[in-house]
């Protein structure tokens, strides 16, 4: 069989906004529900959601029949963890808190086999090769792998151009909650200096010919970031959407207005 084609990686080179949704339940069943709703991509969160390599594998299998492209966020940039995630079939990998070009280059090497990198060979043992059904996997795997590094600190913003310029970095994703917190604004990304940091990062990434993405559940924020050049925008978080829908439903049946604090969040 053919190496699975990475539609998300290919779409990054196109035009228009790719709308994504954050999947935080950590179960295959919830991920499959989300995958049926028409978003272009979904983020399976291994950093803040209760996930493990086996739970991410189950979610990849559950969403495989649908057109919603899975992006898996690792908890951190450890080479052994990256090897395990690639082996279970992750093709688009996001790594949080990348602050230097050197860190980004190390991540690229973790995703490539020698001599270009340090990835170990899983061969017929792993789903990535479809248990050896994919011919020449070792030589061709990198063509369908996509690396997204997250910029979400002052240092990352300062080094955005150098990080995006690294060969093998396909895209940069801005984390507004962590970035604003690192700038002493505790999750409030609308502060003017955070907005300037976001704008400059998008500019620097686009100038390197790489795609930029961001999390922006608010419609106005999402539209502004898309106008500034973001190609892929996560516009919702499944857990928050469920909670908001539950609150609205209860208030509707009780004939009450929503209490502002019931839906407010310091981040999203
Ligand atoms: O810093 C951010 O924003 C992100 O990286 C996304 C958050 O981790 C996400 O969990 C929403 O709060």
């Amino acid at each position: 069989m053919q190496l699975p084609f990475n539609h998300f990686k290919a779409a990054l080179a196109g035009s228009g906004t790719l709308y994504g949704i954050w999947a935080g339940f950590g179960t295959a069943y919830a991920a499959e529900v989300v995958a049926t709703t028409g978003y272009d991509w979904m983020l399976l969160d291994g950093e803040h959601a209760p996930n493990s390599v086996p739970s991410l594998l189950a979610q990849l299998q559950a969403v495989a029949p649908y057109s919603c492209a899975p992006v898996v966020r690792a908890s951190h940039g450890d080479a052994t963890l990256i090897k395990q995630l690639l082996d279970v079939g992750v093709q688009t990998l996001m790594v949080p808190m990348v602050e230097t070009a050197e860190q980004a280059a190390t991540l690229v090497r973790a995703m490539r086999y020698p001599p270009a990198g340090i990835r170990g060979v899983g061969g017929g043992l792993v789903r990535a090769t479809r248990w050896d059904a994919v011919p020449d996997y070792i030589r061709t795997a990198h063509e369908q792998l996509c690396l997204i590094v997250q910029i979400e600190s002052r240092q990352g913003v300062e080094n955005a151009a150098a990080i995006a310029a690294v060969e093998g970095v396909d895209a940069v994703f801005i984390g507004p909650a962590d970035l604003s917190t690192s700038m002493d604004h505790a999750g409030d990304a609308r502060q003017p200096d955070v907005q300037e940091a976001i704008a400059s990062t998008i500019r620097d990434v686009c100038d390197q010919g790489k795609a930029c993405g961001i999390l922006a559940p608010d419609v106005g924020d999402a539209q502004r970031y898309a106008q500034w050049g973001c190609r892929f925008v996560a516009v919702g978080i499944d857990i928050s959407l469920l909670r908001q829908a539950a609150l609205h439903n209860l208030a509707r049946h009780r004939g009450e207005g929503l209490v502002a604090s019931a839906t407010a969040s310091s981040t999203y």
Side-chain angles (χ1 to χ4, degrees):
M1 66 174 283
Q2 291 284 91
L3 183 61
F5 183 73
N6 188 336
H7 294 279
F8 181 80
K9 181 174 180 171
L12 285 180
S15 59
T17 306
L18 299 169
Y19 292 104
I21 182 163
W22 222 260
F25 284 102
T27 72
Y29 202 78
E32 187 173 3
V33 172
V34 169
T36 64
T37 56
Y39 288 83
D40 299 306
W41 60 281
M42 67 195 301
L43 189 287
L44 304 174
D45 194 353
E47 185 187 11
H48 289 301
N51 270 308
S52 60
V53 174
S55 75
L56 290 165
L57 164 61
Q59 289 166 83
L60 290 174
Q61 291 172 320
V63 306
Y66 305 95
S67 62
C68 183
V71 175
V72 171
R73 178 160 78 165
S75 57
H76 60 301
D78 174 71
T80 303
L81 174 62
I82 290 175
K83 174 172 58 182
Q84 290 182 309
L85 291 172
L86 298 187
D87 278 353
V88 297
V90 172
Q91 287 191 304
T92 302
L93 179 75
M94 186 188 290
V95 179
M97 204 53 85
V98 174
E99 300 190 294
T100 66
E102 291 71 27
Q103 257 181 291
T106 300
L107 296 172
V108 174
R109 283 195 295 280
M111 293 178 71
R112 301 217 170 150
Y113 290 114
I118 59 161
R119 183 178 173 191
V121 177
L125 198 64
V126 301
R127 179 172 179 262
T129 68
R130 296 305 184 271
W131 306 279
D132 259 354
V134 174
D136 218 12
Y137 179 82
I138 292 174
R139 286 186 207 285
T140 59
H142 67 279
E143 293 167 11
Q144 302 304 331
L145 293 181
C146 179
L147 172 62
I148 304 170
V149 297
Q150 268 199 277
I151 287 184
E152 42 188 355
S153 67
R154 282 181 195 274
Q155 197 190 352
V157 169
E158 281 160 21
N159 292 326
I163 291 169
V166 172
E167 191 274 324
V169 167
D170 296 287
V172 167
F173 191 88
I174 299 167
D178 277 307
L179 178 57
S180 55
T181 302
S182 89
M183 297 175 73
D184 208 12
H185 291 304
D188 182 1
R190 296 212 184 111
Q191 292 293 324
D193 54 341
V194 183
Q195 288 291 293
E196 178 44 40
I198 291 172
S200 78
T201 301
I202 297 170
R203 273 196 308 273
D204 287 349
V205 172
C206 292
D207 285 351
Q208 296 302 320
K210 301 288 173 73
C212 196
I214 194 164
L215 172 62
D218 176 81
V219 174
D221 289 342
Q223 287 175 348
R224 187 171 64 259
Y225 298 144
Q227 278 162 8
W228 290 354
C230 275
R231 282 290 336 280
F232 59 115
V233 184
V235 292
I237 300 174
D238 58 4
I239 291 178
S240 308
L241 292 170
L242 172 63
R243 185 164 187 277
Q244 285 155 17
L247 288 167
H248 277 283
N249 192 48
L250 184 59
R252 189 168 60 97
H253 283 278
R254 283 186 170 157
E256 297 168 349
L258 265 188
V259 181
S261 64
T263 52
S265 160
S266 61
T267 54
Y268 298 109

